[in-house]
Amino acid sequence: MKEVIVSGMRPTGRLHLGHYLGVIQNWVQLQDKYDCYFFAADWHALTTKYDKTEDLRQNTLDVIMDWLACGIDPEKSVIYVQSLVPQIAELNVYLGMITPQNWVERDPCLKDMAKILKSKDGQGQQINYGLMGYPVLMSADIMMFNADCIPVGIDQVAHIEITRDIARRFNNLYGEFFHEAKPLLNHCSLICGLDGNKMGKSFNNDIKISDTAEVTSKKIMSAITDRSRLRKDDLGHPDECEVAFKYWQIFGSEEEVANVRCECEKGLRGCAQCKRQLGDKINEVMAPIREKRKYYEEHPQEVEKIIQEGSAKAREKAQAVLNEVRKLVKMY
Ligand code: TRP
Ligand code: SF4
């Protein structure tokens, strides 16, 4: 029996290279070793965007097409949409009943989200009941498939801690049933944005998985380089080249990186030329992924089939767990 992995993303639109290198590549690797469940967390998107749902469907499709393009394989993993598995909502009810209010109130991730919402950026939005329930719903996502490991970023670990507490409480109250899921931190290299800050869609410093080669090349030309370098034959300092050289280290071969370093340090390589080559390099690496993305864009009925079949598989598994849960809680 393989261990079970569950992980999800809120469908906020097309994904960028930070998602690819930091999360999806890791998921792709895990597919062979675990029973994997990957889902678009559209209910979680509603916790803050309940008033802006016109893009929700397209965003969900975009996220899933990005996954498929990157190598998430519907033959190996269950790919589904959270709201197409209503069993999760029922489990959420049971878990909500056994979760003390102060467990959610002290969730640091939630505190951060609340701060952003109340600030000007969030236009002073109030915190709704659903948002308070974020960690409980996330626990339902995880416990729905009795998951063992959750691949997440460090920012989500506090949520997984609450999930473990809820699982333990359920087991104490109703009988041993749920595994205590462990976070599986990935140690992938983090890619920064074109301006040297964290890559993020709202910072306008990202390269999308689905960007064309032309767009990618153009964006790369705006990447920060060694700021002390004014002319192209000035001696460069690759280690102070905040973005371009770091990208080379991610996308280039060892030999290419050594060559860039050497030419840069000797003043034999201008930054513009260097970034033109870098753009070509990234496009070369991304080409097969983008081709696959385009294929799915042109075959929406195939994507729809993958989503519907994955969600049906997820519902079947979820119902089996729910039947057990109902029995343990002693529901009618
Ligand atoms: N909260 C996660 C995020 O914002 C998304 C998510 C929802 C999730 N449910 C999950 C991740 C369950 C892992 C497991 O990125
Ligand atoms: Fe960076 Fe390349 Fe310019 Fe050197 S030549 S500073 S590595 S962009």
Side-chain angles (χ1 to χ4, degrees), residues 6-10 39 41 44 82 113 134 137-139 141-142 150-152 155-156 159-160:
V6 171
S7 201
M9 278 186 203
R10 276 174 287 168
F39 69 100
H44 277 106
Q82 184 184 33
M113 287 175 94
Y134 194 106
L137 181 57
M138 193 161 151
S139 301
D141 293 328
I142 292 167
I150 317 299
V152 283
D155 60 313
Q156 298 288 313
H159 283 144
I160 312 289

Side-chain angles (χ1 to χ4, degrees), residues 225-226 229 236-238 241 244-245 248 260 264 269-271 274-275:
T225 62
D226 174 0
R229 225 175 161 209
H237 308 88
C241 174
F245 190 65
W248 268 116
V260 170
C264 173
R269 155 183 290 266
C271 290
C274 184
K275 289 196 283 190

Side-chain angles (χ1 to χ4, degrees), residues 12 61-62 64 76 81 88 156 181 203 219 230 233 324:
T12 50
L61 287 169
D62 276 327
I64 291 178
K76 295 181 183 169
V81 174
I88 296 166
Q156 298 288 313
F203 311 132
K219 284 184 176 176
L230 301 175
D233 45 2
E324 239 4 84

